Amino acid sequence: MTDLTTLAREMTGWRRDLHAHPEFGFEEKRTSAFVAAKLREFGLEIAEGVGGTGVVGTLRRGSGNRAIALRADMDALRIPEQSVAEYRSQNPGVMHACGHDGHTTMLLGAAKLLAEDGGFDGTVRFIFQPAEEWGKGALAMLDDGLMERFPFEEIYGLHNMPGLPVGHFETRAGAMMSAEDNFEIVLKGVGGHAARPHAGNEVLVAACALITNLQTIVSRRLSPADIGVVSVTELVTDGTRNALPGLARILGDARSFRPEVSAGIERQMRVIAEGTALTYNVSAEVNYTREFVPLVNDAALVEEAFAAARTVFESDHIATAREPMTGSEDFARFLEHVPGCFVFLGNGRDSAPLHNPTYDFNDAGLIHGARFHAAIVKRRLPTK
Ligand SMILES: [Zn+2]
Ligand SMILES: [Zn+2]
């Protein structure tokens, strides 16, 4: 049996290997082969290629017929890493800037602990999903028959949290992370000579007015009791130095925690786009898509997660996350099928922010994640 110090050292090696070889969403070939090889070594049943590059490991003990799932994400980001670490990215332009190398390693560590230790009665599914950052990997696995082929009744997942000290644990009941919607508004008019605006219907002034008008969705249309964000992130036109544009694209991102709020943002955006376009005698087309659904934790299973956490973390290092985060997480897709709980583990007070080119997962936290995963299994699938 591996003691925890040895396991922590092994996990650090795995994590740095994964960190040096980051792969973008749905391209996690080396990563999933690494995961499958480890799970095989620990004696798990393995299915590869689930939803593209996803891997599912299954571990059974005893005679219990309950099954629970633990999930990690494997993908990296198209961000050029700024690091002098020996294990820095060997894949130019791609890096593990969100710590998914750490999450994958923690779940592998849990598989090793549980395979050696047992201490539970039933079935554990270890889900390694691709393409979390796109918000596409969980759906790909679900569309590939995840629930039918590898059934489970509840699911748990985690994310590292910069700013929260290592060894600290947070979660909360109900809404914890937001939905993400994307929008594109295309304005069409008639461009022309910069000296003769009256001869056409250029779109840039209309686009600027529209961007300003969109600010009223949250400030004037949303109930103060609800949370919503509408951010315009890009304005692209076909204009040039002395030619007015006839085409403008306004792109952006909206966040919310309830489907009704998301629907309300879309509705009001269409009203404002049409009204503004009419005012400036141009046309507007709104494309509104839903990329991530809100992440809503099951209240009873949050209590179970807190109870499991108390066997791993010091009691004054366990807290209820103060407020929902307006970041999004693909784990939410699994929670549309079964109840579950997503938690945050500290990545250190001095950690660079997620998606920053200098970010690095904190190896000191690896063992906490592995132990938390194992603890929730032992709690939810107790031996008689
Ligand atoms: Zn991320
Ligand atoms: Zn992430």
Side-chain angles (χ1 to χ4, degrees), residues 4-348:
L4 290 177
T5 314
T6 309
L7 180 62
R9 197 178 320 120
E10 270 185 329
M11 289 171 74
T12 300
W14 304 341
R15 207 284 294 180
R16 293 181 176 190
D17 186 326
L18 294 171
H19 189 89
H21 302 96
E23 294 170 302
F24 195 64
F26 290 128
E27 294 169 9
E28 307 93 334
K29 292 210 165 55
R30 184 188 184 278
T31 309
S32 56
F34 183 100
V35 165
K38 287 279 174 254
L39 296 178
R40 201 170 284 127
E41 185 188 314
F42 308 150
L44 273 71
E45 273 171 45
I46 307 161
E48 291 177 78
V50 183
T53 42
V55 181
V56 181
T58 299
L59 185 64
R60 291 191 181 83
R61 288 289 183 272
S63 54
N65 52 13
R66 288 202 355 106
I68 76 169
L70 308 173
R71 169 277 203 181
D73 38 16
M74 302 188 289
D75 57 322
L77 287 147
R78 286 205 211 284
I79 296 175
E81 183 168 24
Q82 291 172 20
S83 167
V84 292
E86 245 171 55
Y87 54 88
R88 67 186 174 274
S89 171
Q90 303 297 305
N91 185 358
V94 181
M95 77 170 281
H96 271 297
C98 206
H100 299 183
D101 48 347
H103 306 160
T104 296
T105 302
M106 287 166 158
L107 192 51
L108 286 175
K112 182 161 189 183
L113 274 179
L114 289 165
E116 288 185 354
D117 242 15
F120 67 95
D121 183 45
T123 300
V124 186
R125 311 285 188 191
F126 296 83
I127 298 175
F128 293 84
Q129 81 151 81
E132 188 284 325
E133 297 286 357
W134 286 23
K136 298 276 182 271
L139 269 184
M141 292 188 87
L142 289 161
D143 289 347
D144 202 3
L146 180 77
M147 302 305 301
E148 299 75 31
R149 292 161 66 195
F150 314 99
F152 53 87
E153 291 145 51
E154 51 196 72
I155 187 164
Y156 299 86
L158 60 81
H159 207 292
N160 75 93
M161 187 52 61
L164 189 65
V166 172
H168 284 236
F169 175 101
E170 282 189 355
T171 186
R172 79 195 305 276
M176 183 152 91
M177 299 186 75
S178 75
E180 178 184 341
D181 305 338
N182 288 167
F183 59 86
E184 178 196 48
I185 306 174
V186 181
L187 297 180
K188 285 185 186 156
V190 180
H193 202 291
R196 296 176 51 77
H198 60 286
N201 285 306
E202 66 90 13
V203 290
L204 190 51
V205 171
C208 293
L210 177 50
I211 291 168
T212 304
N213 292 343
L214 291 175
Q215 308 311 312
T216 63
I217 298 176
V218 171
S219 66
R220 303 290 88 174
R221 279 290 152 256
L222 197 64
S223 159
D226 274 316
I227 300 173
V229 181
V230 175
S231 287
V232 172
T233 56
E234 282 177 80
L235 168 59
V236 187
T237 78
D238 65 352
T240 183
R241 199 177 81 104
N242 55 10
L244 292 162
L247 181 89
R249 290 169 65 231
I250 296 166
L251 295 108
D253 176 302
R255 307 283 167 137
S256 57
F257 291 93
R258 295 194 302 121
E260 298 79 3
V261 173
S262 166
I265 290 173
E266 177 182 358
R267 197 171 341 118
Q268 189 62 15
M269 184 173 290
R270 290 185 184 281
V271 168
I272 291 174
E274 271 172 40
T276 308
L278 188 67
T279 305
Y280 291 87
N281 202 19
V282 298
S283 72
E285 186 191 312
V286 179
N287 302 307
Y288 197 94
T289 58
R290 294 189 167 76
E291 306 295 326
F292 287 84
V293 295
L295 189 153
V296 183
N297 280 334
D298 180 88
L301 297 186
V302 165
E303 288 311 313
E304 292 295 295
F306 275 130
R310 283 193 282 273
T311 69
V312 176
F313 301 90
E314 289 173 40
S315 56
D316 57 342
H317 293 175
I318 298 171
T320 298
R322 271 194 317 267
E323 50 198 22
M325 282 182 55
T326 49
S328 300
E329 189 23 93
D330 204 19
F331 183 79
R333 295 281 179 191
F334 300 112
L335 296 180
E336 294 190 310
H337 296 264
V338 291
C341 176
F342 195 69
V343 310
F344 296 134
L345 303 188
N347 199 54

